[in-house]
Amino acid sequence: MKVDPSIFKAYDIRGVFPTNIDNDLAYQIGLAYAQYLKPNGEILVGEDVRIHSHELKESLIKGLLDAGVDVVDVGAISTDIYYYGVGKHNLAGGIQVTASHNPPEWHGFKMVKAGPAAMTLEDGIGQIRDLIESETLKPSDKKGNLRQIDLLEEFSDYILGWLKGTEIKPLKVVINPNFGLAGKIFEHIVKKGNLPIEVIAINNEPNGNFPKGRPDPFIPENRTELCARVIEEKADLGITWDADADRVFFISDKGEFIDVYYSNTLLIKQLLAKYPKSKVIYDPRYTWALIEAIETNGGEPTVCVVGHSYIKQKMREVNAVFAGESSGHTYYRDFWYADCGMIPAMQM
């Protein structure tokens, strides 16, 4: 099958539907993933809110099943729930149909091995590309089995566990999930935990057309609405996620965007109080405040090149308790060395 090689990125597969990503390609990815990984167990598959994600997921699942792989379909979920599912249930791998914070016409696939351990262009993504281009992929004589589960309740319990032993004073919080699923998930967690938090939500109904533009809060013009609403509501805090909810950012009670360079120092302080003398990985693009926060709180600063696959690998190598990127990705040892958009919200 002829494919556009540019869609095979360093950490995922990403392109425009149906220009260079379509249902036929999704099916081939399922076959190729199975042939490359040869998984000994079930593969978790989820989807984001994008308008073509469901049909791409169905084609992907068909490819996996035709390759003889057993599949766990978890439906529409955030990327951090996807990582949770693979790690918590000890699955053999996973694929999330998502294009993260890109515009609505973009679609893609984030793939992991067991662990969840990230796949890279050098280790997995490039080989899957080559298998598809080789036109040697064929269905197996043995078909895989499919089951469906809902991870929201157990994920919510897991996130609430981060508040164990913490006294929470009443708070008013304005949230902006940018039409992804994070807002509904956050509201569910607050309700399930009976937390004393008044939630005011904007852009909270999932909508894969992203009617207010690219769903990326790292873009300054995408913050103005939330900043103004925090001031208007006299809220204590603003929280915003990108569309697939693996990146999170905060707004102060004065309506000021807090760069993750500074918010991460607060998260580091909390974690080192719980896990003293631990290693913490920092982003080499931003150094002094992070290094100071790590050393002041008794940790060991450890630098790592940027990129989630490299960071996750480094965390496993040195058993780091935490890592933060300036892009808003936040990684935890207790979250299977993966990035999560809900744990930082609970820490804040």
Side-chain angles (χ1 to χ4, degrees):
M1 178 180 180
K2 185 173 178 57
V3 296
D4 179 355
S6 71
I7 68 174
F8 296 89
K9 312 292 186 181
Y11 317 119
D12 61 9
I13 300 171
R14 198 176 298 182
V16 175
F17 186 96
T19 304
N20 50 20
I21 283 185
D22 58 18
N23 295 323
D24 290 338
L25 178 63
Y27 177 79
Q28 293 294 318
I29 289 172
L31 291 177
Y33 177 94
Q35 181 164 320
Y36 169 74
L37 197 62
K38 296 179 175 57
N40 182 24
E42 296 175 306
I43 298 300
L44 184 146
V45 178
E47 63 187 275
D48 69 7
V49 302
R50 292 170 185 273
I51 51 180
H52 300 292
S53 288
H54 184 71
E55 58 184 280
L56 286 167
K57 185 194 73 174
E58 293 299 302
S59 297
L60 172 70
I61 288 175
K62 187 175 188 303
L64 290 167
L65 295 175
D66 284 354
V69 172
D70 294 333
V71 174
V72 180
D73 181 358
V74 293
I77 58 169
S78 60
T79 294
D80 50 6
I81 294 183
Y82 152 68
Y83 291 140
Y84 167 87
V86 175
K88 179 66 175 180
H89 291 266
N90 296 311
L91 300 182
I95 305 176
Q96 171 79 337
V97 181
T98 180
S100 188
H101 55 271
N102 285 79
E105 66 273 18
W106 284 75
H107 285 75
F109 307 87
K110 288 185 176 180
M111 301 179 290
V112 296
K113 305 174 185 179
M119 297 174 73
T120 64
L121 188 62
E122 299 80 14
D123 182 13
I125 296 173
Q127 288 82 353
I128 287 171
R129 175 200 61 205
D130 295 343
L131 284 168
I132 294 171
E133 289 182 331
S134 73
E135 299 185 345
T136 60
L137 296 168
K138 295 180 181 179
S140 171
D141 295 332
K142 171 182 173 288
K143 301 302 179 187
N145 298 309
L146 175 65
R147 67 185 179 100
Q148 297 176 326
I149 61 173
D150 187 335
L151 292 172
L152 179 59
E153 294 298 330
E154 59 177 273
F155 178 76
S156 299
D157 287 333
Y158 169 83
I159 295 298
L160 287 167
W162 281 78
L163 296 178
K164 187 176 181 181
T166 301
E167 179 185 355
I168 304 174
K169 297 178 180 179
L171 294 170
K172 181 187 286 189
V173 177
V174 183
I175 62 171
N176 179 9
N178 287 286
F179 300 101
L181 291 168
K184 298 297 184 184
I185 296 167
F186 183 79
E187 287 180 322
H188 186 81
I189 292 169
V190 169
K191 183 177 179 180
K192 186 177 180 65
N194 195 27
L195 304 180
I197 298 175
E198 178 186 351
V199 180
I200 299 165
I202 61 175
N203 307 323
N204 196 37
E205 287 303 316
N207 186 339
N209 288 300
F210 305 125
K212 293 185 179 178
R214 177 173 171 156
D216 184 0
F218 204 46
I219 300 174
E221 55 265 32
N222 287 354
R223 309 167 190 163
T224 54
E225 182 184 15
L226 178 58
C227 291
R229 192 64 182 273
V230 168
I231 295 173
E232 178 187 336
E233 299 287 348
K234 296 181 172 57
D236 300 293
L237 182 69
I239 309 175
T240 180
W241 299 265
D242 64 349
D244 70 328
D246 61 354
R247 295 190 302 148
V248 62
F249 304 87
F250 300 97
I251 309 298
S252 78
D253 60 341
K254 300 186 187 305
E256 300 164 326
F257 178 81
I258 305 171
D259 194 295
V260 293
Y261 179 42
Y262 301 109
S263 60
N264 280 346
T265 64
L266 304 177
L267 308 184
I268 287 167
K269 181 178 180 179
Q270 281 194 7
L271 283 167
L272 287 175
K274 185 177 181 180
Y275 300 108
K277 300 182 180 180
S278 294
K279 291 183 173 66
V280 175
I281 289 175
Y282 65 92
D283 185 332
R285 295 171 294 188
Y286 298 89
T287 57
W288 67 263
L290 297 175
I291 292 173
E292 181 178 285
I294 296 166
E295 292 180 339
T296 299
N297 292 285
E300 181 179 336
T302 305
V303 69
C304 179
V305 295
V306 174
H308 80 95
S309 297
Y310 301 117
I311 288 174
K312 291 171 182 177
Q313 182 180 0
K314 186 70 171 180
M315 287 185 76
R316 291 176 185 274
E317 287 177 2
V318 303
N319 196 33
V321 71
F322 176 85
E325 276 189 285
S326 57
S327 59
H329 288 280
T330 315
Y331 309 82
Y332 297 83
R333 182 177 66 196
D334 290 352
F335 194 68
W336 299 274
Y337 302 98
D339 36 334
C340 184
M342 284 297 153
I343 296 173
M346 293 302 107
Q347 284 190 269
M348 282 293 177

